[in-house]
Amino acid sequence: MQQLRHYLGFIGDNLFLQAGIVVLASFLFAWILDKVVISWVRRMTERTDGKFDDQLIELLHQPLFYSVVVFGISVASKIIQLPEHVGGYIFPVLYTFLLVLWTMFFIRITRIILRRTAENEKHFKVLHMQTLPLFENLALIIIIVLSIYYILSTWKIDMSAWLASAGIVGIAVGFAAKDTLANLFSGVFIMADAPYKIKDYIVLETGERGEVTNIGLRSTRILTRDHIEITVPNSVMGNTKIINESAGPSTKSRIRAKIGCSYDSDIDLVQKVLMEVAQEENELCRYPAPIIRFRNFGASSLDFELMGWIDLPANRGRILHQINNAIYNKFAENNIEIPYSKQDLYIKELPPSLMKGTSDDKDSEQPS
C-alpha cells in the first residue's frame, strides 16, 4: 500500500484524484482481462472437442471482471481513508456482492462437473443419472452454507451461538424424523448400490411383482400387471429380499411350462411334441434354444418341463398362456393322455344300523 501511494504521489496530493485513478485503472484492467485475455482463451478453447472448457470460461469471466473492480474500489476507499462507520458498511457490501457472484459460479460449475461425471459411469459408479439429483442437492447445500458463513463473518456476526443452536435442532429433528431419515439413507444406498433400476421387473418377498417406475429418496414405486401402483418405503426395500427379473447381462428371462403325461405314454413322442410347440412359438428366443427335461416320476404322471427364454419379463404370463394352449392341443392331436387325480372309494363294511335300515326298506318293497 505504501508503494502504491508513493507512485500515486507523482499525480498529486489530492486523495480523491488518486482514488479515482485507482478505480479507473481497475475498470480498465478488468476490461482488458475480459475483452482481451478471456476472449483469447475462449478462441483457444473453441478449437478443442470438449465443451467443459468453453462452459468454464463463459461462467468465469463475470466473477473475474467484478472481482477486479471491487478490489480497485476497496483500494480506493483505503486511500481516501473513509470514516470507520462508513467503511464498516461499504466493505461488507462489496465483499457480499463478490461472495454472491462466486457462489453462483461454483453452483453452476459444480452442476456441470457432476452431470458430466454422471454421464460417464466408468469413473464413479456411485454417481450416475439416478443419483445425480441427490449429489446436486448436497453440493448446493454445502456451497450455500459456506457462502452464508463467510457472508456473516464479513459482517462480523458471531456464528458460535448459531452453530450450537443448529446442533440442538439437528438432534431434535433426528429423533422426530427417524423414519424419514431411515428412508432417506436407504434411498441413497439403493441409488448407489443399484440392485434395481427404473423399468426393471422385480418380485418382492411378499409376492408383489411389477415394473419399477420411480426410485425416490423416500420410496420406490412399482406398477403391477393390474396397473396398480405400489409405493414401498425405501427402508423396507433396503431390508427385504428382492428378485430382479431384468438383471444380468440382458433383459431375457426364462419361463417354464410344466406338464404331466400318463405312464402309458411314449416319452420320446412327448418330448418331440413339446419341442414342436417350442419351435412354433414365435415369441420364444431361438438362442438360447428351448430345452425339454423329464423331471420326475409322479404319483400319477410322468412330469416334463419345457423351458425357453423370452425377451422381456413383462410378457411372461401371456407367452406361458400361449404355450399351455399349444401343449394341450398337441397332446390331444397325438392321443397323449394328461392324467388327473382320481380317487376310488371302497366300503369295507356298512354299520349295523345302516344295514337294518336297508333290510326294512327291502321288506317294505315286497308285495303284501
Side-chain angles (χ1 to χ4, degrees):
M1 191 67 182
Q2 295 296 331
Q3 292 182 352
L4 179 61
R5 289 181 177 178
H6 174 72
Y7 290 117
L8 291 174
F10 292 107
I11 301 173
D13 296 332
N14 191 328
L15 297 180
F16 289 95
L17 177 61
Q18 294 177 0
I21 290 176
V22 170
V23 173
L24 182 63
S26 65
F27 270 101
L28 180 62
F29 182 75
W31 184 85
I32 293 173
L33 180 65
D34 185 48
K35 300 299 181 181
V36 179
V37 178
I38 297 296
S39 298
W40 177 78
V41 175
R42 185 183 289 113
R43 287 194 298 270
M44 296 295 294
T45 56
E46 288 176 354
R47 299 177 183 178
T48 61
D49 296 332
K51 295 182 179 180
F52 175 73
D53 48 3
D54 299 330
Q55 294 171 332
L56 177 62
I57 296 300
E58 185 65 28
L59 295 175
L60 193 60
H61 79 95
Q62 187 178 22
L64 283 178
F65 179 87
Y66 286 107
S67 295
V68 174
V69 172
V70 169
F71 177 76
I73 294 174
S74 63
V75 172
S77 301
K78 292 181 180 180
I79 292 174
I80 298 175
Q81 297 180 353
L82 294 173
E84 185 176 353
H85 66 278
V86 177
Y89 286 101
I90 291 180
F91 291 113
V93 169
L94 294 175
Y95 293 148
T96 301
F97 174 71
L98 277 185
L99 283 171
V100 171
L101 282 180
W102 282 104
T103 299
M104 297 302 298
F105 165 77
F106 282 114
I107 290 175
R108 292 171 181 172
I109 198 64
T110 302
R111 286 179 177 175
I112 293 174
I113 293 173
L114 290 175
R115 183 165 293 275
R116 289 177 61 87
T117 306
E119 291 174 352
N120 189 356
E121 299 182 7
K122 295 181 179 179
H123 295 93
F124 299 98
K125 294 183 178 180
V126 175
L127 179 57
H128 44 78
M129 296 308 295
Q130 294 180 10
T131 59
L132 177 61
L134 172 64
F135 283 95
E136 286 182 343
N137 292 331
L138 289 177
L140 178 64
I141 292 172
I142 293 172
I143 293 172
I144 290 179
V145 168
L146 290 176
S147 177
I148 292 174
Y149 175 79
Y150 284 111
I151 288 174
L152 294 177
S153 299
T154 301
W155 288 91
K156 297 181 180 180
I157 297 176
D158 187 11
M159 295 292 295
S160 302
W162 291 73
L163 293 175
S165 301
I168 296 173
V169 172
I171 294 173
V173 171
F175 280 108
K178 59 180 181 180
D179 293 335
T180 302
L181 292 176
N183 291 327
L184 174 64
F185 285 114
S186 298
V188 173
F189 294 142
I190 288 172
M191 291 180 180
D193 190 39
Y196 53 84
K197 57 184 182 295
I198 295 177
K199 294 187 177 181
D200 279 359
Y201 263 80
I202 63 174
V203 181
L204 302 182
E205 193 172 11
T206 52
E208 290 90 349
R209 175 178 177 267
E211 179 184 1
V212 179
T213 57
N214 182 60
I215 305 174
L217 291 178
R218 194 194 69 83
S219 62
T220 297
R221 296 179 184 176
I222 304 170
L223 186 65
T224 68
R225 296 298 295 169
D226 298 328
H227 281 258
I228 298 174
E229 188 175 69
I230 303 173
T231 301
V232 186
N234 285 331
S235 59
V236 176
M237 296 294 289
N239 295 303
T240 189
K241 178 182 176 181
I242 299 173
I243 300 174
N244 191 344
E245 296 181 348
S246 302
S250 69
T251 59
K252 291 182 178 180
S253 177
R254 173 181 275 183
I255 61 173
R256 302 169 182 265
K258 298 180 180 180
I259 185 66
C261 63
S262 67
Y263 274 84
D264 296 332
S265 301
D266 183 352
I267 61 173
D268 293 329
L269 177 61
V270 171
Q271 295 180 69
K272 178 183 177 183
V273 169
L274 291 177
M275 185 56 68
E276 289 178 358
V277 170
Q279 292 174 349
E280 292 174 1
E281 178 53 58
N282 296 327
E283 295 194 68
L284 282 181
C285 298
R286 295 295 171 254
Y287 181 82
I291 56 175
I292 312 298
R293 289 291 182 265
F294 183 4
R295 289 300 188 191
N296 192 29
F297 293 93
S300 58
S301 66
L302 303 174
D303 299 330
F304 289 84
E305 191 172 34
L306 187 159
M307 294 178 289
W309 293 85
I310 58 177
D311 290 321
L312 297 174
N315 299 330
R316 174 188 299 271
R318 179 174 55 81
I319 297 176
L320 190 58
H321 162 77
Q322 296 171 182
I323 291 175
N324 285 335
N325 282 340
I327 290 175
Y328 182 84
N329 294 330
K330 283 284 186 180
F331 274 30
E333 292 176 4
N334 291 272
N335 297 320
I336 299 174
E337 181 184 357
I338 301 176
Y340 55 90
S341 179
K342 300 177 183 178
Q343 294 180 347
D344 295 331
L345 180 62
Y346 294 94
I347 300 175
K348 184 177 181 181
E349 183 179 354
L350 290 175
S353 59
L354 186 60
M355 291 289 292
K356 182 179 179 181
T358 304
S359 301
D360 294 341
D361 291 340
K362 289 183 179 179
D363 294 338
S364 62
E365 290 178 357
Q366 294 179 357
S368 58

